[in-house]
Amino acid sequence: MAAENGPTAGEYIGHHLTHWQNKPMEGVIDFSVYNLDSIIWAVVLGIVGSFFLWKAARAATSGVPGRFQAAVEILVEMVDNQAKGIIHNAKSRKLVAPLALAVFIWIFLMNAMDLLPVDLLPKVWETLFGAMGLDTHHAYLRVVPTADLSTTLGLSVSVLLVCVAYNIKIKGMSGWVHELFTAPFGNHPILWPINFLMQMIEFAAKTVSHGMRLWGNMYAGELVFMLIALMGGAAAMSLSGIFLPIGQILAGTAWSIFHILIITLQAFIFMMLTLVYVGQAHDHH
């Protein structure tokens, strides 16, 4: 990181875009390397979301609900209505609707980590481990799991596996294999390879776009927050930058308010696409 006058803008952003990993990468593609920060925060936020849902279910009453119960009931009803409009199999909805609710809450919580000050948790991290005598000068910590492509593609691949499971469950293995080779162009043997190729392309395209849409939006939002944070650093290094802290506060507040819409919308879109893709698994061609 730093020179004696502190890191440059490029070094600052590069540092904050570097993951805490289990070991250095040995190539461009190294599947033995894991982003530990994304895994830890995703698990922690999953536990937090599950705890609040459990707490709401345990405290539910048939009488006049409190504000927390009312908010959860509105959310559950919203997801259930969306599921009913897309998945017409009532038996499937018993699993898919709660799954969609969990996906929405989990992704919303992961997205919402972007609203925390950029340097807050890394500084807390350095302080805690520094007090233990560990060298944290070059410590890396990214706290927005959905700004990590491996996280979002992991989520989209999980949705793909659910779709495959429902394709087999609803149509049977033979029925699904038959569909892979006969849709969308017909049952003529000459068309079987083309149909199968088109089906594989469709599955791959849906999975990749599902994950990259969420990642792209959250990664861009993270970069904007870093650029806003740099305004304060520029002010500290220049007397002419006396108005930059004011601009930083105003820009940070405005972007945070707008970003609340983005993090909610992205969680909703991911949830809706999950329902749509699982719903397509119920359709016969």
Side-chain angles (χ1 to χ4, degrees), residues 54-135:
W54 170 80
K55 186 175 177 62
R58 188 181 182 193
T61 175
S62 58
V64 179
R67 285 178 292 183
F68 177 63
Q69 180 182 336
V72 172
E73 287 180 354
I74 291 172
L75 184 59
V76 171
E77 184 177 0
M78 180 271 292
V79 175
D80 190 55
N81 288 337
Q82 297 296 335
K84 287 179 180 177
I86 297 173
I87 300 173
H88 304 296
N89 187 314
K91 186 176 181 180
S92 295
R93 285 200 306 271
K94 291 181 180 180
L95 175 63
V96 176
L99 173 65
L101 177 64
V103 164
F104 176 80
I105 293 176
W106 192 22
I107 292 179
F108 174 82
L109 290 175
M110 290 192 287
N111 292 351
M113 295 294 286
D114 214 6
L115 298 176
L116 295 175
V118 172
D119 291 301
L120 176 61
L121 291 181
K123 287 298 181 184
V124 172
W125 178 268
E126 291 180 8
T127 301
L128 289 176
F129 283 88
M132 298 169 59
L134 301 176
D135 180 17

